[in-house]
Amino acid sequence: MLQFGIDLGGTKTEIIVLDPKGNTLLRERTTTPTHSYDAIVANITAMVESAASRLSCNDFSLGIGIPGAVSPASGLIKNANTTCLIGRDLQGDLQKQLHPLLQRPLVLANDADCFALSEASDGSGAGFASVFAVIIGTGCGGGWVINGRLLSGPNAIAGEWGHNPLLWREASDTEIDCYCGQKGCLETLLSGPGLRQQAAQETGLSLSAQEWNTLAEQQDPQAQTVLARYYRRLAKALAGVINLIDPHVIVLGGGVSNLPGIYQEVPKLWAEYVFSDSVSTPLKQALHGDSSGVRGAAWLGAAAC
Ligand SMILES: [Zn+2]
């Protein structure tokens, strides 16, 4: 049986096909037609049909990572920033469209959960008993994997760390409105757009994480302050995670996780906030980079069969 995975992103939809050993047989991307739910369903259906046809494959599993969650209460999509998905039965509609090609149950999961499962399965978290993994990119979604299994709760929001507020807040930590309806969520400080907006309020300059990093490497004192504040906020936020569940490893992905200073600075800073005489938690960058979400979706679909 081959393992098909789809990562439905806010801008791109990606498909991967893995053999049972995790080797990639096919990988493609298309633009996500975010204007229309029906177009999203049609696009995913066409990608799966095309891949199955070219690989002459009639027995496969399918997992789909989505920018949101499936409500356990209704079976419908919730918490999606691609808002045309909200309130829709994506699982049911795709299962109908892909019948009779797809013979196995189709599984949907939050994209950050897929990322966590991928990194725990054969990425930077492989071999660790518990993994907390976060994508710090356009958003700030997280997931837990314990003994190789995704943790899922009654509300399907396990690991939604990005919508907690910052702990040990300081005067320089501006409370920005979050799309979730609250103010000052971690996502408004730690995501790529959050870093840009916070730094713009402090300096008047609208720059990306990478641009700030380039300036800091040129010894620009303003950029060094921006990044030092960012590292302290991330350290506080992760210290809260360690105090709560003490994961065996923390893995970071997403565009902002490419800041090289994170892995040196944050573990020095979090000791002040963790309730322990010493902190030995490894902080690692994702091994599979941008591929983690789609690989995790493929693993997830196979695990459900
Ligand atoms: Zn929020």
Side-chain angles (χ1 to χ4, degrees), residues 218-234:
Q218 295 162 358
Q219 309 304 321
D220 179 287
Q222 194 174 44
Q224 288 172 334
T225 300
V226 163
L227 291 186
R229 283 180 174 161
Y230 182 83
Y231 296 147
R232 185 164 290 277
R233 288 165 184 152
L234 183 57

Side-chain angles (χ1 to χ4, degrees), residues 87 98 101 161 164 173 186 192 237 264 286:
L98 287 167
L101 178 64
W161 165 82
N164 282 341
D173 302 322
L186 290 178
Q264 287 84 48

Side-chain angles (χ1 to χ4, degrees), residues 3 24 46 61 71 75 91 101 104 109 115 149 151 182 240 284 297:
Q3 308 171 50
T24 303
S61 59
S71 166
Q91 189 165 8
L101 178 64
R104 295 173 181 273
F115 164 76
R149 293 181 66 91
L151 179 69
Q182 291 291 345
K284 298 183 165 213

Side-chain angles (χ1 to χ4, degrees), residues 106-249:
L106 181 159
V107 184
L108 257 61
N110 176 260
D111 48 12
D113 284 346
C114 291
F115 164 76
L117 185 62
S118 169
E119 288 297 322
S121 298
D122 65 350
S124 293
F128 290 90
S130 64
V131 180
F132 180 66
V134 190
I135 303 174
I136 40 177
T138 49
C140 232
W144 303 108
V145 177
I146 299 172
N147 295 324
R149 293 181 66 91
L150 264 175
L151 179 69
S152 176
N155 307 298
I157 55 159
E160 285 292 358
W161 165 82
H163 296 280
N164 282 341
L166 181 68
L167 300 163
W168 304 285
R169 187 173 281 277
E170 297 172 37
S172 55
D173 302 322
T174 313
E175 287 202 318
I176 293 173
D177 289 343
C178 181
Y179 79 91
C180 75
Q182 291 291 345
K183 275 177 185 287
C185 293
L186 290 178
E187 187 159 307
T188 67
L189 291 142
L190 301 179
S191 67
L195 188 162
R196 178 187 287 272
Q197 195 174 357
Q198 284 285 330
Q201 296 211 351
E202 293 162 19
T203 66
L205 297 172
S206 177
L207 300 177
S208 68
Q210 200 50 54
E211 289 166 331
W212 281 118
N213 191 58
T214 302
L215 284 176
E217 285 175 349
Q218 295 162 358
Q219 309 304 321
D220 179 287
Q222 194 174 44
Q224 288 172 334
T225 300
V226 163
L227 291 186
R229 283 180 174 161
Y230 182 83
Y231 296 147
R232 185 164 290 277
R233 288 165 184 152
L234 183 57
K236 289 173 178 175
L238 293 175
V241 169
I242 297 171
N243 283 338
L244 196 61
I245 61 140
D246 200 10
H248 290 83
V249 64

